[in-house]
Amino acid sequence: MSRDMPDETRDRQGRSPQGQSGGGPTARFTAAFRRWRARRHGHAPPASDTGGRPPAAGSWDGLPAASADGSVRGAPAESTLWRMRTTVRDEPGALAALCTALAGESVDILSLQTHPLGTATVDEFLLRAPADLAGTGLTAAVSGAGGTDTWIERADAHDLVDAPTRMLGLATRTALDAAELPLALRQLLGRCTIRSLPAAPGSGRRAPEGVPAEGSLEDTVMRLRAPEGGVITVERPYLPFTPTEFARARALVELDTRLGPRVPRGQDVLTLPEGSDITVRRADTGDLEAARAMHERCSPETLRLRYHGPVGDVDRYLNHLLSPRFGRTLAVRTASGRIVGLGHLLWDGDETEVALLIEDAWQRRGIGGELLARLVAMAGEADCAHVYAVTQASNTGMVAAMRGLELPLDYQIEEGTLVITARLDQRSARRMQEERSEQEYGGSRIGHRS
């Protein structure tokens, strides 16, 4: 199907109409398309893509802001934003018929992406519809115009950014930090589950058999070769991936591979009550030896509370924990460079885990609470809905640190193991981190040094 839009002199099959007035369905479609073209340029990327702060409440780069229920404040009339995908035949006039049906329901097309499939095309729309038009009404109109396998959900103002700008923002995030790749893939592909499977031990950089170098796409599951030789599996059961989405995901992974391991090297300086300075910064596998040395200085009880298993096996977890592919790690170092604390934020499919290990001699000084607040702020910036910690009821330090977040907590005990889940309000998590950076900490202040 040609993706060029017809003008008012052509009907749904591309033929000149007989006796058709300028106010017919095709004219309504053309008017809707021109309104879309006038607005499609100039959309700013969301703050989650660029690291910037959102604009003042009530607007988004001059665009009406969407409320929690999807309705748009400040629009000329009550309206709702929707994201919709539908499949149409790849033949002239099919897209025109679809847009004409939407125009007939007073639906405004804000953006359009096409995903060719050969004999058919998946069209992805961002729509502004009258508030009293339900999703079922939209799908009925699209079905009547020839759309099939239609999927629809509420959208918000963050979806107003156009696809090229969004891709550039995600590529920038990935280039700056290797830990951003899973998050960038999730923002690119929508709600999905992402899991990383490392290469088999002793196999070097060889990935598990059955996954070609270019990756594979099977309906709702795509597999991509990770830079370390493992496999990144992305699954989205509710909506099949298109070849276009597969190509975009492969491009992000290729960028990550070419840039190699990297983490931001900024650090914060924390002055403890007794006057000594410690630093908090990101860590990776380059810190493996220093982390092992900290393990050797920790008591068996401290290691048992952290790892919930045989103390002799704890070192084998470190390479995984420090890899930016599986999350983010913060390390606390003394002035001499010795690591005395580690905090981990781990991507676990749809879940996000936090974990802390503080060397015995440095416990009870508030370091764990400081690390946890920073990890939770990172989770909020990554749009995580909640984080959980796996510990034991006897680990009073971890329990106290989770309570100190002042977030809603859920507790669950399974076979003697305590799982504490904190439900995140992203704005509260960021505000908490900013306030902690401005407040005195144990009679001293947190300074920033890059």
Side-chain angles (χ1 to χ4, degrees):
M1 176 179 68
S2 172
R3 313 316 295 168
D4 295 332
M5 303 294 182
D7 58 30
E8 290 140 328
T9 65
R10 303 177 68 84
D11 69 1
R12 290 161 60 174
Q13 282 70 42
R15 298 186 298 268
S16 299
Q18 300 296 323
Q20 186 178 27
S21 67
T26 306
R28 290 198 301 272
F29 154 68
T30 304
F33 172 65
R34 287 175 175 169
R35 288 197 300 272
W36 167 66
R37 285 185 62 91
R39 272 189 299 270
R40 70 185 298 263
H41 301 290
H43 297 324
S48 60
D49 280 352
T50 63
R53 294 184 180 274
S59 68
W60 191 277
D61 194 34
L63 294 169
S67 61
D69 63 358
S71 61
V72 180
R73 299 190 302 273
E78 290 294 327
S79 60
T80 303
L81 294 176
W82 296 92
R83 290 179 58 221
M84 184 185 72
R85 279 192 179 195
T86 192
T87 303
V88 298
R89 299 182 307 278
D90 190 4
E91 60 183 40
L95 179 59
L98 192 64
C99 295
T100 300
L102 293 173
E105 298 291 340
S106 300
V107 175
D108 198 6
I109 299 173
L110 302 180
S111 69
L112 167 64
Q113 295 185 60
T114 60
H115 302 250
L117 298 179
T119 59
T121 299
V122 173
D123 290 328
E124 182 174 359
F125 296 90
L126 179 64
L127 306 172
R128 177 179 286 130
D132 57 357
L133 179 61
T136 53
L138 275 172
T139 55
V142 168
S143 177
T148 60
D149 298 325
T150 301
W151 167 87
I152 190 170
E153 71 171 2
R154 290 287 183 94
D156 60 30
H158 292 81
D159 294 302
L160 289 169
V161 62
D162 62 8
T165 302
R166 187 175 186 82
M167 283 295 300
L168 287 172
L170 295 177
T172 299
R173 290 179 58 183
T174 303
L176 293 175
D177 187 350
E180 290 289 328
L181 178 61
L183 303 177
L185 288 172
R186 185 170 294 171
Q187 290 206 5
L188 172 68
L189 302 170
R191 291 195 304 272
C192 58
T193 299
I194 300 176
R195 294 184 173 87
S196 295
L197 178 65
S203 63
R205 297 172 63 88
R206 183 173 59 84
E209 296 182 1
V211 180
E214 65 275 13
S216 64
L217 174 61
E218 300 174 4
D219 199 31
T220 61
V221 178
M222 68 170 71
R223 293 179 174 86
L224 305 163
R225 293 284 289 272
E228 308 84 5
V231 172
I232 300 172
T233 300
V234 187
E235 186 172 3
R236 188 175 64 186
Y238 69 96
L239 189 64
F241 294 113
T242 66
T244 300
E245 290 176 310
F246 182 52
R248 292 171 179 173
R250 284 180 54 193
L252 274 179
V253 174
E254 177 65 20
L255 173 65
D256 182 85
T257 302
R258 289 182 175 273
L259 293 175
R262 65 214 175 276
V263 296
R265 288 303 181 187
Q267 64 183 27
D268 290 342
V269 179
L270 173 65
T271 303
L272 296 176
E274 65 269 23
S276 58
D277 286 348
I278 59 175
T279 61
V280 181
R281 68 167 178 82
R282 288 280 299 279
D284 60 12
T285 51
D287 300 290
L288 186 59
E289 291 305 317
R292 284 175 177 163
M294 186 188 73
H295 272 180
E296 294 176 359
R297 297 189 300 269
C298 289
S299 67
E301 178 63 12
T302 292
L303 295 176
R304 184 186 64 82
L305 289 175
R306 165 62 185 91
Y307 294 106
H308 322 291
V311 175
D313 295 338
V314 296
D315 282 354
R316 67 187 180 92
Y317 299 119
L318 279 176
N319 196 61
H320 175 91
L321 293 173
L322 292 173
S323 171
R325 185 68 57 230
F326 303 104
R328 298 174 181 173
T329 296
L330 294 177
V332 176
R333 288 181 178 265
T334 64
S336 64
R338 174 188 294 183
I339 290 182
V340 297
L342 291 171
H344 304 286
L345 184 70
L346 302 171
W347 317 132
D348 180 19
D350 294 329
E351 309 292 331
T352 306
E353 181 182 0
V354 289
L356 301 174
L357 177 64
I358 309 299
E359 187 178 324
D360 295 64
W362 294 83
Q363 294 177 8
R364 310 298 177 184
R365 301 190 190 189
I367 295 175
E370 177 68 26
L371 283 179
L372 187 60
R374 292 166 183 262
L375 295 172
V376 169
M378 288 180 176
E381 292 168 358
D383 295 326
C384 299
H386 56 268
V387 299
Y388 71 91
V390 180
T391 185
Q392 299 177 29
S394 58
N395 190 351
T396 56
M398 187 64 180
V399 174
M402 292 293 288
R403 288 177 175 171
L405 294 173
E406 298 183 356
L407 294 171
L409 300 178
D410 296 326
Y411 300 85
Q412 185 176 2
I413 297 180
E414 298 178 358
E415 299 180 356
T417 299
L418 176 63
V419 180
I420 309 175
T421 301
R423 288 177 280 125
L424 270 57
D425 179 322
Q426 282 78 13
R427 292 168 296 179
S428 297
R430 284 193 292 268
R431 185 172 61 250
M432 176 181 61
Q433 175 66 10
E434 292 168 359
E435 290 174 353
R436 291 180 68 92
S437 298
E438 297 170 356
Q439 292 174 348
E440 289 193 350
Y441 176 80
S444 59
R445 288 186 180 274
I446 299 173
H448 297 281
R449 190 180 303 163
S450 58

